[in-house]
Amino acid sequence: MTELKNRRYLDALLKKPVDRTPIWMMRQAGRYLPEYRATRSQAGDFMSLCKNTELACEVTLQPLRRYPLDAAILFSDILTIPDAMGLGLYFETGEGPKFERPINCHADVEAIKVPDSAKDLKYVMDAVSTIRRELKGQVPLIGFSGSPWTLATYMVEGGSSKTFAKIKRMAFEAPQTLHLLLSKLAESVTDYLNAQIDAGAQAVQIFDTWGGVLTPRDYREFSLDYMEKIVSGLNTNKNGEKVPVILFTKGGGLWLENIAATGCDGVGLDWTIDIGEARRRIGDKVALQGNMDPAILYAPPERIRQEVSTILDSYGQGTGHVFNLGHGITPEVDPEHAGVFINAVTELSPKYHQS
Ligand code: 1CP
Protein backbone atom coordinates (compact mmCIF):
# COMPACT_ATOMS: atom_id res chain seq x y z
CA MET A 1 0.00 0.00 0.00
CA THR A 2 1.11 3.56 -0.73
CA GLU A 3 2.50 5.50 2.18
CA LEU A 4 0.22 8.07 3.79
CA LYS A 5 1.20 11.65 2.85
CA ASN A 6 -0.98 13.41 5.42
CA ARG A 7 -1.25 11.76 8.85
CA ARG A 8 -2.61 14.76 10.82
CA TYR A 9 -6.03 13.23 11.42
CA LEU A 10 -4.62 9.92 12.69
CA ASP A 11 -1.88 11.61 14.72
CA ALA A 12 -4.32 13.97 16.47
CA LEU A 13 -6.56 11.02 17.39
CA LEU A 14 -3.56 9.20 18.82
CA LYS A 15 -2.43 12.41 20.54
CA LYS A 16 0.82 12.67 18.66
CA PRO A 17 2.08 16.18 17.81
CA VAL A 18 0.66 17.82 14.66
CA ASP A 19 1.55 21.04 12.82
CA ARG A 20 -2.06 22.23 12.76
CA THR A 21 -5.51 20.98 13.79
CA PRO A 22 -6.82 18.44 11.27
CA ILE A 23 -10.30 18.90 9.82
CA TRP A 24 -13.02 16.91 8.10
CA MET A 25 -16.81 17.44 7.99
CA MET A 26 -19.56 14.97 8.77
CA ARG A 27 -21.56 14.47 5.53
CA GLN A 28 -18.78 16.16 3.56
CA ALA A 29 -19.95 14.28 0.48
CA GLY A 30 -23.54 15.34 0.19
CA ARG A 31 -26.31 17.39 -1.26
CA TYR A 32 -24.76 20.83 -0.61
CA LEU A 33 -22.30 20.03 -3.45
CA PRO A 34 -23.63 20.43 -7.02
CA GLU A 35 -21.19 17.75 -8.24
CA TYR A 36 -22.69 15.31 -5.69
CA ARG A 37 -26.21 16.02 -6.93
CA ALA A 38 -25.06 15.44 -10.52
CA THR A 39 -23.45 12.07 -9.69
CA ARG A 40 -26.45 10.98 -7.66
CA SER A 41 -28.82 11.66 -10.54
CA GLN A 42 -26.44 9.74 -12.82
CA ALA A 43 -26.72 6.78 -10.38
CA GLY A 44 -30.53 7.11 -10.30
CA ASP A 45 -31.15 7.04 -6.56
CA PHE A 46 -29.28 7.07 -3.29
CA MET A 47 -28.89 3.30 -2.71
CA SER A 48 -27.80 2.75 -6.33
CA LEU A 49 -25.12 5.36 -5.70
CA CYS A 50 -23.95 3.46 -2.58
CA LYS A 51 -23.89 0.17 -4.51
CA ASN A 52 -21.99 1.53 -7.54
CA THR A 53 -18.31 1.23 -6.59
CA GLU A 54 -16.96 3.76 -9.09
CA LEU A 55 -19.61 6.40 -8.33
CA ALA A 56 -19.39 5.89 -4.54
CA CYS A 57 -15.64 6.42 -4.89
CA GLU A 58 -16.21 9.50 -7.07
CA VAL A 59 -18.50 11.23 -4.52
CA THR A 60 -16.10 10.38 -1.68
CA LEU A 61 -13.31 12.20 -3.52
CA GLN A 62 -15.35 15.23 -4.65
CA PRO A 63 -15.03 17.29 -1.43
CA LEU A 64 -11.27 16.57 -1.35
CA ARG A 65 -10.87 18.18 -4.77
CA ARG A 66 -12.48 21.37 -3.50
CA TYR A 67 -11.07 21.69 0.01
CA PRO A 68 -7.85 20.92 1.94
CA LEU A 69 -9.53 18.25 4.12
CA ASP A 70 -7.41 15.91 6.25
CA ALA A 71 -9.56 12.78 5.91
CA ALA A 72 -11.96 11.09 3.51
CA ILE A 73 -15.06 9.23 4.73
CA LEU A 74 -16.46 6.23 2.95
CA PHE A 75 -19.58 7.15 1.01
CA SER A 76 -22.28 4.80 2.21
CA ASP A 77 -25.00 4.84 4.85
CA ILE A 78 -25.59 3.41 8.32
CA LEU A 79 -28.71 1.60 7.07
CA THR A 80 -26.77 -0.86 4.90
CA ILE A 81 -26.79 -3.37 7.82
CA PRO A 82 -30.58 -3.51 8.29
CA ASP A 83 -30.88 -3.66 4.49
CA ALA A 84 -28.56 -6.70 4.46
CA MET A 85 -30.70 -8.21 7.24
CA GLY A 86 -33.59 -8.24 4.76
CA LEU A 87 -35.71 -5.30 5.98
CA GLY A 88 -36.00 -3.78 2.49
CA LEU A 89 -34.53 -0.27 2.71
CA TYR A 90 -35.83 2.37 0.32
CA PHE A 91 -35.69 6.14 0.08
CA GLU A 92 -38.70 8.20 -0.90
CA THR A 93 -37.73 11.56 -2.36
CA GLY A 94 -37.71 14.18 0.36
CA GLU A 95 -38.88 11.70 3.00
CA GLY A 96 -35.72 10.03 4.22
CA PRO A 97 -35.16 6.30 4.72
CA LYS A 98 -37.99 3.75 5.05
CA PHE A 99 -38.22 -0.02 5.58
CA GLU A 100 -40.66 -2.30 3.80
CA ARG A 101 -40.51 -4.87 6.61
CA PRO A 102 -39.87 -3.15 9.96
CA ILE A 103 -39.41 -5.05 13.24
CA ASN A 104 -42.66 -5.42 15.17
CA CYS A 105 -42.32 -8.34 17.57
CA HIS A 106 -40.03 -10.93 19.17
CA ALA A 107 -40.46 -13.39 16.30
CA ASP A 108 -39.27 -10.70 13.83
CA VAL A 109 -36.10 -10.24 15.87
CA GLU A 110 -35.53 -14.00 16.16
CA ALA A 111 -35.82 -14.35 12.38
CA ILE A 112 -33.03 -11.84 11.75
CA LYS A 113 -29.67 -13.20 10.67
CA VAL A 114 -26.40 -11.47 11.42
CA PRO A 115 -25.00 -10.62 7.95
CA ASP A 116 -21.63 -11.93 6.84
CA SER A 117 -20.23 -8.51 5.92
CA ALA A 118 -17.46 -9.72 3.60
CA LYS A 119 -20.12 -11.44 1.49
CA ASP A 120 -23.49 -9.78 2.12
CA LEU A 121 -22.05 -6.26 2.23
CA LYS A 122 -19.35 -6.83 -0.35
CA TYR A 123 -20.35 -3.65 -2.22
CA VAL A 124 -19.30 -1.61 0.83
CA MET A 125 -15.94 -3.41 1.10
CA ASP A 126 -15.38 -2.91 -2.65
CA ALA A 127 -16.02 0.80 -2.18
CA VAL A 128 -13.52 0.91 0.72
CA SER A 129 -10.73 -0.80 -1.23
CA THR A 130 -11.41 1.24 -4.38
CA ILE A 131 -11.41 4.54 -2.47
CA ARG A 132 -8.19 3.55 -0.68
CA ARG A 133 -6.55 2.88 -4.04
CA GLU A 134 -7.81 6.11 -5.62
CA LEU A 135 -6.80 8.22 -2.62
CA LYS A 136 -3.20 7.28 -3.41
CA GLY A 137 -2.16 7.96 0.18
CA GLN A 138 -3.32 11.59 0.06
CA VAL A 139 -5.30 11.38 3.33
CA PRO A 140 -6.60 8.54 5.53
CA LEU A 141 -9.96 6.88 4.90
CA ILE A 142 -12.59 6.70 7.67
CA GLY A 143 -14.98 3.74 7.78
CA PHE A 144 -18.19 3.91 9.79
CA SER A 145 -21.30 2.27 11.13
CA GLY A 146 -24.38 3.27 13.08
CA SER A 147 -24.58 2.26 16.74
CA PRO A 148 -26.88 -0.67 17.57
CA TRP A 149 -29.36 1.67 19.32
CA THR A 150 -29.47 4.13 16.40
CA LEU A 151 -29.90 1.32 13.85
CA ALA A 152 -32.62 -0.25 16.01
CA THR A 153 -34.58 3.04 16.06
CA TYR A 154 -34.90 2.96 12.26
CA MET A 155 -35.65 -0.79 12.19
CA VAL A 156 -38.42 -0.62 14.80
CA GLU A 157 -39.90 2.75 13.80
CA GLY A 158 -39.76 1.79 10.10
CA GLY A 159 -37.88 5.00 9.26
CA SER A 160 -37.03 8.35 10.86
CA SER A 161 -38.96 9.32 13.97
CA LYS A 162 -39.56 12.35 16.14
CA THR A 163 -41.09 10.64 19.17
CA PHE A 164 -39.44 7.17 19.11
CA ALA A 165 -42.79 5.86 20.32
CA LYS A 166 -42.44 2.30 19.01
CA ILE A 167 -38.90 1.61 20.15
CA LYS A 168 -39.43 3.19 23.58
CA ARG A 169 -42.58 1.14 24.01
CA MET A 170 -40.53 -1.94 23.16
CA ALA A 171 -37.83 -0.90 25.67
CA PHE A 172 -40.42 -0.72 28.45
CA GLU A 173 -42.83 -3.53 27.46
CA ALA A 174 -40.44 -6.10 26.04
CA PRO A 175 -36.88 -5.19 27.02
CA GLN A 176 -35.66 -8.73 26.28
CA THR A 177 -36.84 -8.35 22.65
CA LEU A 178 -34.94 -5.10 22.28
CA HIS A 179 -31.85 -6.60 23.93
CA LEU A 180 -31.92 -9.52 21.50
CA LEU A 181 -32.11 -7.07 18.60
CA LEU A 182 -29.29 -4.92 20.02
CA SER A 183 -27.10 -8.02 20.58
CA LYS A 184 -27.56 -9.10 16.98
CA LEU A 185 -26.78 -5.57 15.83
CA ALA A 186 -23.66 -5.33 18.01
CA GLU A 187 -22.39 -8.56 16.49
CA SER A 188 -23.21 -7.29 12.99
CA VAL A 189 -21.54 -3.91 13.54
CA THR A 190 -18.37 -5.53 14.94
CA ASP A 191 -18.10 -7.80 11.90
CA TYR A 192 -18.95 -4.92 9.53
CA LEU A 193 -16.30 -2.57 10.93
CA ASN A 194 -13.69 -5.34 11.06
CA ALA A 195 -14.43 -6.07 7.39
CA GLN A 196 -14.00 -2.37 6.58
CA ILE A 197 -10.66 -2.35 8.43
CA ASP A 198 -9.62 -5.45 6.46
CA ALA A 199 -10.62 -3.69 3.23
CA GLY A 200 -8.51 -0.62 4.10
CA ALA A 201 -10.35 1.73 6.48
CA GLN A 202 -7.69 3.52 8.58
CA ALA A 203 -10.04 4.75 11.35
CA VAL A 204 -13.64 3.88 12.20
CA GLN A 205 -16.44 6.00 13.61
CA ILE A 206 -19.65 4.81 15.25
CA PHE A 207 -22.58 7.22 14.79
CA ASP A 208 -24.97 7.12 17.73
CA THR A 209 -27.22 9.80 16.32
CA TRP A 210 -30.16 9.00 18.61
CA GLY A 211 -28.42 8.03 21.89
CA GLY A 212 -29.26 11.49 23.22
CA VAL A 213 -33.01 10.78 23.32
CA LEU A 214 -32.51 8.29 26.18
CA THR A 215 -32.40 8.84 29.95
CA PRO A 216 -28.93 8.41 31.47
CA ARG A 217 -29.77 4.90 32.72
CA ASP A 218 -31.37 3.83 29.46
CA TYR A 219 -28.44 5.26 27.49
CA ARG A 220 -26.09 3.02 29.47
CA GLU A 221 -28.35 -0.05 29.09
CA PHE A 222 -29.53 0.27 25.48
CA SER A 223 -26.74 2.17 23.76
CA LEU A 224 -23.40 2.54 25.53
CA ASP A 225 -23.00 -1.09 26.72
CA TYR A 226 -23.36 -2.29 23.14
CA MET A 227 -20.90 0.28 21.77
CA GLU A 228 -18.44 -0.77 24.46
CA LYS A 229 -18.81 -4.40 23.37
CA ILE A 230 -18.12 -3.37 19.76
CA VAL A 231 -15.02 -1.37 20.73
CA SER A 232 -13.58 -4.39 22.52
CA GLY A 233 -14.31 -6.66 19.51
CA LEU A 234 -12.57 -4.54 16.87
CA ASN A 235 -9.27 -5.56 15.31
CA THR A 236 -7.59 -2.21 15.75
CA ASN A 237 -4.08 -3.30 14.94
CA LYS A 238 -3.51 -3.35 11.18
CA ASN A 239 0.02 -4.29 10.11
CA GLY A 240 1.44 -2.63 13.22
CA GLU A 241 -0.64 0.57 12.76
CA LYS A 242 -3.32 1.50 15.29
CA VAL A 243 -6.78 2.01 13.79
CA PRO A 244 -8.43 4.67 15.99
CA VAL A 245 -12.08 4.26 17.00
CA ILE A 246 -14.32 7.32 17.47
CA LEU A 247 -17.70 7.28 19.22
CA PHE A 248 -20.14 10.07 18.39
CA THR A 249 -23.30 10.29 20.48
CA LYS A 250 -25.40 13.28 19.48
CA GLY A 251 -26.64 14.81 22.72
CA GLY A 252 -24.12 12.79 24.75
CA GLY A 253 -22.39 15.75 26.45
CA LEU A 254 -23.66 14.78 29.89
CA TRP A 255 -22.14 11.30 29.66
CA LEU A 256 -18.65 12.07 28.37
CA GLU A 257 -16.81 10.24 31.18
CA ASN A 258 -18.79 7.06 30.47
CA ILE A 259 -18.20 7.31 26.74
CA ALA A 260 -14.47 7.89 27.23
CA ALA A 261 -14.27 4.83 29.50
CA THR A 262 -15.32 2.43 26.70
CA GLY A 263 -11.77 2.17 25.36
CA CYS A 264 -12.42 4.34 22.30
CA ASP A 265 -9.65 6.68 21.07
CA GLY A 266 -11.79 9.69 20.20
CA VAL A 267 -15.12 11.14 21.30
CA GLY A 268 -17.22 13.12 18.84
CA LEU A 269 -18.96 16.17 20.32
CA ASP A 270 -22.07 17.95 19.14
CA TRP A 271 -22.25 21.75 19.53
CA THR A 272 -24.16 21.82 22.82
CA ILE A 273 -21.03 21.47 24.95
CA ASP A 274 -18.01 23.73 25.24
CA ILE A 275 -15.00 21.84 23.90
CA GLY A 276 -12.74 23.31 26.60
CA GLU A 277 -15.02 21.84 29.27
CA ALA A 278 -15.03 18.49 27.46
CA ARG A 279 -11.22 18.58 27.39
CA ARG A 280 -11.03 19.25 31.14
CA ARG A 281 -13.35 16.31 31.77
CA ILE A 282 -11.94 13.62 29.43
CA GLY A 283 -9.06 15.16 27.48
CA ASP A 284 -6.48 13.14 29.43
CA LYS A 285 -8.04 9.89 28.17
CA VAL A 286 -9.23 10.49 24.62
CA ALA A 287 -9.00 12.83 21.65
CA LEU A 288 -11.96 15.11 20.90
CA GLN A 289 -13.67 15.67 17.59
CA GLY A 290 -15.92 18.63 16.88
CA ASN A 291 -17.76 20.74 17.46
CA MET A 292 -18.98 23.77 15.47
CA ASP A 293 -22.74 24.19 15.13
CA PRO A 294 -23.38 23.34 11.44
CA ALA A 295 -25.84 26.26 11.30
CA ILE A 296 -22.88 28.68 11.64
CA LEU A 297 -22.20 27.83 7.99
CA TYR A 298 -25.25 29.95 7.10
CA ALA A 299 -23.53 32.96 8.69
CA PRO A 300 -21.34 35.52 6.86
CA PRO A 301 -17.65 34.52 6.40
CA GLU A 302 -16.38 36.76 9.24
CA ARG A 303 -18.77 35.13 11.71
CA ILE A 304 -17.63 31.66 10.58
CA ARG A 305 -13.97 32.58 11.14
CA GLN A 306 -14.80 34.02 14.53
CA GLU A 307 -16.54 30.80 15.61
CA VAL A 308 -13.59 28.67 14.44
CA SER A 309 -11.25 30.89 16.44
CA THR A 310 -13.45 30.60 19.57
CA ILE A 311 -13.46 26.79 19.38
CA LEU A 312 -9.69 26.55 18.77
CA ASP A 313 -9.13 28.86 21.71
CA SER A 314 -11.46 26.92 23.95
CA TYR A 315 -9.65 23.63 23.20
CA GLY A 316 -6.32 25.43 23.69
CA GLN A 317 -2.74 24.36 23.03
CA GLY A 318 -1.62 20.98 21.81
CA THR A 319 -2.76 17.89 19.98
CA GLY A 320 -5.83 15.70 20.55
CA HIS A 321 -8.35 17.84 18.64
CA VAL A 322 -9.87 16.94 15.27
CA PHE A 323 -11.95 19.86 14.01
CA ASN A 324 -15.41 18.96 12.73
CA LEU A 325 -18.98 20.13 12.79
CA GLY A 326 -21.16 19.00 15.69
CA HIS A 327 -23.37 17.14 13.19
CA GLY A 328 -23.66 16.76 9.42
CA ILE A 329 -23.44 19.68 7.00
CA THR A 330 -26.92 20.50 5.66
CA PRO A 331 -27.99 20.64 1.99
CA GLU A 332 -28.72 24.42 2.18
CA VAL A 333 -25.10 25.40 2.91
CA ASP A 334 -23.25 27.43 0.25
CA PRO A 335 -20.13 25.42 -0.72
CA GLU A 336 -18.12 28.66 -0.51
CA HIS A 337 -19.01 28.98 3.16
CA ALA A 338 -17.80 25.42 3.77
CA GLY A 339 -14.53 26.56 2.15
CA VAL A 340 -14.31 29.59 4.47
CA PHE A 341 -14.75 27.25 7.46
CA ILE A 342 -12.09 24.76 6.35
CA ASN A 343 -9.60 27.48 5.42
CA ALA A 344 -10.17 29.19 8.77
CA VAL A 345 -9.15 25.98 10.56
CA THR A 346 -6.02 25.54 8.41
CA GLU A 347 -5.02 29.22 8.80
CA LEU A 348 -5.85 29.85 12.46
CA SER A 349 -4.79 26.55 14.07
CA PRO A 350 -0.96 26.36 13.61
CA LYS A 351 -0.36 28.71 16.55
CA TYR A 352 -1.96 26.15 18.89
CA HIS A 353 0.71 23.61 17.94
CA GLN A 354 3.97 25.51 18.50
CA SER A 355 5.82 23.79 21.30
O1 1CP B 1 -30.64 12.36 -0.96
C1 1CP B 1 -29.51 11.94 -0.75
O2 1CP B 1 -28.55 12.10 -1.51
C2 1CP B 1 -29.35 11.15 0.49
C3 1CP B 1 -28.80 11.91 1.63
C4 1CP B 1 -27.86 10.98 2.36
C5 1CP B 1 -26.46 11.04 2.32
C6 1CP B 1 -25.59 12.02 1.59
C7 1CP B 1 -28.24 9.86 3.12
C8 1CP B 1 -29.59 9.35 3.37
N1 1CP B 1 -27.09 9.24 3.57
C9 1CP B 1 -25.99 9.93 3.10
C10 1CP B 1 -24.58 9.55 3.28
C11 1CP B 1 -24.13 9.27 4.64
N2 1CP B 1 -24.90 8.89 5.70
C12 1CP B 1 -22.80 9.29 5.06
C13 1CP B 1 -21.66 9.51 4.06
C14 1CP B 1 -20.38 9.97 4.43
C15 1CP B 1 -20.25 11.46 4.72
O3 1CP B 1 -19.96 12.23 3.80
O4 1CP B 1 -20.31 11.82 5.92
C16 1CP B 1 -22.78 8.99 6.42
C17 1CP B 1 -21.60 8.93 7.37
C18 1CP B 1 -24.12 8.73 6.81
C19 1CP B 1 -24.54 8.29 8.15
C20 1CP B 1 -25.97 8.34 8.52
N3 1CP B 1 -27.08 7.99 7.79
C21 1CP B 1 -26.42 8.67 9.82
C22 1CP B 1 -25.51 8.99 10.96
C23 1CP B 1 -24.92 10.33 10.87
C24 1CP B 1 -25.84 11.47 11.09
O5 1CP B 1 -25.94 12.31 10.20
O6 1CP B 1 -26.42 11.53 12.19
C25 1CP B 1 -27.82 8.58 9.84
C26 1CP B 1 -28.74 8.84 11.00
C27 1CP B 1 -28.22 8.13 8.56
C28 1CP B 1 -29.60 7.81 8.12
C29 1CP B 1 -29.95 8.61 6.94
N4 1CP B 1 -29.54 8.31 5.67
C30 1CP B 1 -29.94 9.30 4.81
C31 1CP B 1 -30.62 10.28 5.56
C32 1CP B 1 -31.24 11.52 5.01
C33 1CP B 1 -30.60 9.86 6.90
C34 1CP B 1 -31.10 10.62 8.09
C35 1CP B 1 -32.56 10.44 8.29
C36 1CP B 1 -33.00 11.02 9.61
O7 1CP B 1 -32.74 12.22 9.88
O8 1CP B 1 -33.59 10.27 10.40
Side-chain angles (χ1 to χ4, degrees), residues 27-29 36 40 46 76-78 91 154 160 207 209 327:
R27 292 280 173 96
Q28 63 192 21
Y36 168 84
R40 191 185 63 164
F46 175 71
S76 190
D77 197 71
I78 62 166
F91 283 83
Y154 289 95
S160 305
F207 289 90
T209 307
H327 199 205

Side-chain angles (χ1 to χ4, degrees), residues 122-324:
K122 184 172 181 294
Y123 70 94
V124 178
M125 309 314 147
D126 288 345
V128 170
S129 54
T130 303
I131 298 163
R132 248 322 271 284
R133 189 187 71 224
E134 293 305 315
L135 275 171
K136 300 187 171 77
Q138 206 187 320
V139 292
L141 175 62
I142 309 168
F144 71 91
S145 171
S147 71
W149 164 257
T150 291
L151 293 176
T153 66
Y154 289 95
M155 295 167 75
V156 173
E157 300 290 333
S160 305
S161 175
K162 286 207 168 70
T163 60
F164 301 94
K166 293 183 179 137
I167 193 159
K168 288 205 172 187
R169 184 172 297 147
M170 184 185 276
F172 304 133
E173 275 180 8
Q176 69 289 4
T177 301
L178 183 53
H179 278 301
L180 181 62
L181 176 57
L182 294 168
S183 299
K184 288 188 174 193
L185 283 166
E187 207 185 312
S188 306
V189 170
T190 307
D191 181 63
Y192 186 53
L193 291 177
N194 278 333
Q196 291 184 32
I197 294 169
D198 268 352
Q202 290 150 297
V204 291
Q205 174 156 329
I206 300 177
F207 289 90
D208 188 26
T209 307
W210 303 119
V213 307
L214 292 165
T215 65
R217 281 184 42 209
D218 289 344
Y219 174 67
R220 155 66 67 193
E221 178 178 344
F222 295 111
S223 188
L224 192 61
D225 280 356
Y226 290 97
M227 292 199 283
E228 186 161 14
K229 213 163 159 193
I230 294 165
V231 173
S232 62
L234 292 177
N235 304 325
T236 54
N237 186 327
K238 181 83 187 287
N239 311 324
E241 280 248 20
K242 172 89 198 214
V243 178
V245 181
I246 303 95
L247 299 190
F248 169 68
T249 293
K250 186 159 172 279
L254 291 169
W255 312 317
L256 293 182
E257 289 78 3
N258 300 329
I259 300 171
T262 56
C264 65
D265 303 281
V267 172
L269 306 172
D270 70 17
W271 63 92
T272 62
I273 183 163
D274 181 88
I275 195 167
E277 186 203 322
R279 186 180 192 182
R280 285 188 290 281
R281 283 168 55 189
I282 57 168
D284 57 333
K285 286 202 181 64
V286 290
L288 297 174
Q289 179 173 276
N291 68 340
M292 193 175 88
D293 179 356
I296 295 282
L297 296 177
Y298 304 138
E302 245 340 281
R303 181 68 182 83
I304 297 172
R305 286 176 63 85
Q306 187 196 332
E307 191 71 13
V308 166
S309 165
T310 303
I311 292 170
L312 287 170
D313 229 44
S314 176
Y315 184 84
Q317 285 291 322
T319 188
H321 180 202
V322 172
F323 219 110
N324 205 314

Side-chain angles (χ1 to χ4, degrees), residues 333-348:
V333 168
D334 179 342
E336 280 193 28
H337 284 214
V340 167
F341 164 56
I342 294 156
N343 288 333
V345 175
T346 65
E347 287 162 26
L348 302 174

